[in-house]
Amino acid sequence: MGSGWAPAADALGEPVAEVPFADLPGFAPPAVAGHGGKVRVVRTDGGRHLLVFLGRTHLYEGVGVEKVVHGIRTAAEAGVRTVVLTNAAGGLRPETQHVGDPVLISDHINMTGANPLTGTRFLDLTEVYSKRLRALVHEVDPTIAEGVYVAFRGPTYETPAEIRMLRTLGGDLIGMSTVLEAIAAREAGMEVLGISLVTNPAAGLSDEPLNHEEVLEVGRATAARMGGLLAKVVDRL
């Protein structure tokens, strides 16, 4: 669950257990407002069990790539085969995107300068984000758009010149997470679904300055909708 998404977890089902990150080996405590810093086990109405990470570690926190992907690798070791990655993102296409819209991630551009893989194992990233899972989401919400997510290291927001560059490169969404986790999940053989919540137009595309509180406010305002969307998708997995 990315910035502002944590309230949506309440719509997923009945909490069975919850443990703070700080009580688990290898996890970094939460450092960003809007990230709950807990792992929750949820039982859905259909009897499925979900492992929900309320928050994440970001590369800009300076604790290293291994901490960023530790949750994904822990889930894989626990037997999880499908991962849903959510985030808050700036929209690069305000002519078609609206604040509060969910967008499926169809592909990504990694501008972080980092990679969770080392050594000589070469991983095919032709289909990082599962076509099958995206089709399931379209069954739930036929109107949902798809787009290419661009990840920067952060913690600075991008400049207007960088945003113009990313639009030219084919980017649709901009954020500071998700990509490294998606790569680690694919390395582990997991099927990946990525969903961005557009919380603001990207730098230079509106007259308003960017701030994190805006991100959280949009998340709070759309939590019920996002949680309902995720719950319906999980039922189809």
Side-chain angles (χ1 to χ4, degrees):
M1 294 287 189
S3 294
W5 277 81
D10 295 335
L12 295 177
E14 176 191 358
V16 176
E18 193 169 86
V19 182
F21 285 164
D23 292 350
L24 298 171
F27 284 86
V32 183
H35 285 259
K38 296 178 180 179
V39 180
R40 179 185 297 175
V41 178
V42 172
R43 182 185 296 112
T44 70
D45 292 340
R48 296 178 183 273
H49 284 85
L50 313 179
L51 191 62
V52 182
F53 292 86
L54 300 173
R56 55 160 48 95
T57 298
H58 300 80
L59 192 61
Y60 59 71
E61 294 174 37
V63 294
V65 175
E66 291 300 315
K67 292 288 186 183
V68 172
V69 301
H70 182 68
I72 292 295
R73 289 175 171 162
T74 298
E77 290 294 324
V80 174
R81 307 315 310 152
T82 304
V83 60
V84 181
L85 300 172
T86 70
N87 61 55
L92 300 180
R93 311 287 174 181
E95 61 273 17
T96 58
Q97 297 169 343
H98 301 93
V99 171
D101 283 350
V103 179
L104 296 181
I105 301 176
S106 58
D107 205 346
H108 73 231
I109 300 174
N110 184 2
M111 302 287 282
T112 68
N115 196 306
L117 277 60
T118 58
T120 57
R121 180 182 177 188
F122 303 105
L123 181 66
D124 178 23
L125 296 182
T126 302
E127 187 182 328
V128 182
Y129 305 92
S130 167
K131 291 180 181 178
R132 184 186 76 87
L133 296 182
R134 297 195 327 258
L136 291 181
V137 179
H138 283 297
E139 290 178 8
V140 174
D141 183 357
T143 68
I144 195 167
E146 297 194 6
V148 175
Y149 178 85
V150 185
F152 268 45
R153 181 186 182 95
T156 55
Y157 291 110
E158 301 69 40
T159 68
E162 289 170 335
I163 294 303
R164 291 194 297 272
M165 174 190 71
L166 297 177
R167 281 168 57 95
T168 301
L169 291 175
D172 300 296
L173 305 152
I174 178 72
M176 306 175 191
S177 68
T178 302
V179 164
L180 301 182
E181 293 151 297
I183 294 171
R186 291 300 300 131
E187 179 195 27
M190 303 167 84
E191 196 172 14
V192 179
L193 175 66
I195 308 176
S196 291
L197 176 64
V198 178
T199 54
N200 56 272
L205 300 181
S206 78
D207 296 329
E208 298 297 322
L210 302 180
N211 65 84
H212 189 61
E213 181 53 41
E214 178 185 22
V215 171
L216 299 181
E217 180 57 36
V218 173
R220 287 190 288 265
T222 58
R225 179 188 175 195
M226 295 302 99
L229 174 66
L230 289 177
K232 291 176 182 177
V233 171
V234 167
D235 286 341
R236 287 166 167 76
L237 293 178

